[in-house]
């Protein structure tokens, strides 16, 4: 879904939208790494948030480093 956001400070701000994309790894480190790799290939992705569990986090971080994001 698109989420309205306001970016900046009181003196300089901009309004816009951010599209939230969800990928569920189901607790599987391999699926977490695949999701990060997939998202890293999209030029409009600005950030990846998650995963929560430690094994998934390590796999996702490794994939992010390989993708240089």
């Amino acid at each position: 879904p698109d989420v309205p956001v306001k970016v900046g400070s009181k003196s300089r701000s901009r309004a816009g939208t951010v599209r939230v994309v969800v990928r569920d790894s189901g607790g599987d480190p391999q699926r977490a790494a695949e999701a990060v790799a997939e998202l890293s290939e999209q030029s409009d992705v600005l950030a990846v948030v998650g995963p929560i569990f430690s094994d998934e986090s390590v796999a996702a971080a490794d994939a992010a480093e390989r993708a240089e994001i």
Side-chain angles (χ1 to χ4, degrees):
D2 289 343
V3 178
V5 295
K6 185 176 181 182
V7 178
S9 63
K10 288 183 179 181
S11 62
R12 300 183 80 187
S13 64
R14 298 184 299 182
T17 59
V18 173
R19 184 171 52 110
V20 177
V21 178
V22 178
R23 296 292 183 267
D24 184 1
S25 66
D28 181 344
Q30 180 63 36
R31 286 176 54 192
E34 290 168 356
V36 169
E38 173 197 341
L39 293 169
S40 72
E41 293 175 3
Q42 299 178 22
S43 63
D44 58 344
V45 171
L46 301 176
V48 175
V49 179
I52 297 171
F53 303 114
S54 61
D55 288 343
E56 290 174 281
S57 295
V58 171
D62 289 345
E65 286 182 10
R66 283 191 299 277
E68 298 180 353
I69 59 167

